[in-house]
């Protein structure tokens, strides 16, 4: 499913949104939900990785610890925000769903940048990549629905 979603983004979402006829948007709601569910799964998984990293921590890396603590907060909020995004989406509030997805992407970026600011190697680069990407796919579909509403 993950691969399908990525392919979907490559071949569909990166295309000009305006070129897609309304008749082809009928299943977009379902796809948007799937993308958000995958992002939620991935963010939840990331949170467990963060908790494990924090548990495994050894003394002597105070900056990395601070970054991980921030990321813990950011991804915790991200998980809640994704649940909210699905909820408002189901109510037909596509614009709000898009705003929540953007907030989650900002969160993963802030987490990642935290390591950069502290000149620490990020332990969450792949996680940022996946969660960000999945939110981006969902956002693309949501924007498509907004533009055809
Ligand atoms: C999260 O994304 C990664 C890709 O980097 C993927 O391999 C993994 O299966 C995903 N995990 C979940 C729980 O969705
Ligand atoms: C945490 O430590 C355990 C035991 O050393 C190890 O198996 C595991 O991979 C570590 N987890 C992370 C996220 O580094
Ligand atoms: C997070 O991942 C996305 C790709 O999904 C990438 O474009 C972005 O640059 C990454 N953010 C940071 C701060 O590395």
């Amino acid at each position: 499913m993950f691969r399908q979603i990525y392919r979907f983004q490559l071949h569909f979402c990166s295309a000009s949104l305006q070129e897609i006829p309304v008749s082809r948007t009928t299943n977009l709601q379902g796809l948007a939900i799937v993308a958000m569910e995958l992002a939620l799964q991935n963010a939840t998984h990331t949170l467990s990785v963060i908790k494990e990293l924090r548990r495994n921590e050894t003394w002597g890396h105070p900056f990395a610890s601070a970054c991980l603590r921030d990321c813990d907060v950011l991804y915790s909020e991200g998980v809640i925000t994704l649940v909210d995004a699905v909820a408002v989406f189901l109510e037909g509030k596509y614009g709000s769903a898009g705003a929540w997805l953007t907030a989650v992407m900002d969160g993963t970026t802030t987490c990642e940048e935290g390591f950069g600011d502290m000149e620490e190697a990020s332990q969450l680069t792949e996680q940022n990549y996946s969660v960000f990407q999945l939110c981006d796919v969902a956002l693309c579909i949501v924007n498509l629905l907004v533009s055809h509403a």
Side-chain angles (χ1 to χ4, degrees):
M1 196 61 210
F2 215 82
R3 192 164 294 155
Q4 266 110 316
I5 285 286
Y6 277 130
R7 202 172 294 145
F8 175 81
Q9 186 192 32
L10 276 180
H11 296 299
F12 186 76
C13 258
S14 56
S16 170
L17 301 184
Q18 265 62 41
E19 288 170 15
I20 296 156
V22 181
S23 58
R24 294 200 39 203
T25 65
T26 37
N27 281 321
L28 287 181
Q29 279 90 348
L31 274 172
I33 301 277
V34 170
M36 285 189 280
E37 296 282 350
L38 284 173
L40 178 58
Q41 263 179 35
N42 224 290
T44 305
H45 173 72
T46 300
L47 200 50
S48 65
V49 170
I50 293 171
K51 305 270 187 216
E52 199 179 326
L53 285 167
R54 293 192 70 188
R55 260 200 310 276
N56 277 5
E57 250 168 16
T58 49
W59 293 102
H61 292 90
F63 293 141
S65 304
C67 296
L68 280 175
R69 194 187 49 223
D70 290 347
C71 292
D72 195 339
V73 173
L74 289 161
Y75 275 90
S76 298
E77 285 171 358
V79 166
I80 295 166
T81 305
L82 281 167
V83 172
D84 289 345
V86 173
V88 293
F89 183 87
L90 290 172
E91 289 171 14
K93 296 174 186 158
Y94 300 146
S96 306
W100 290 133
L101 287 167
T102 305
V104 176
M105 292 158 83
D106 288 345
T108 71
T109 302
T110 303
C111 162
E112 198 58 19
E113 285 174 352
F115 289 99
D117 291 346
M118 293 294 183
E119 296 180 349
E120 288 283 342
S122 170
Q123 294 149 297
L124 298 168
T125 302
E126 273 177 43
Q127 277 82 5
N128 161 67
Y129 195 86
S130 305
V131 176
F132 189 99
Q133 199 84 346
L134 285 166
C135 287
D136 202 27
V137 173
L139 184 61
C140 171
I141 305 168
V142 165
N143 285 339
L144 203 54
L145 287 164
V146 169
S147 71
H148 287 301

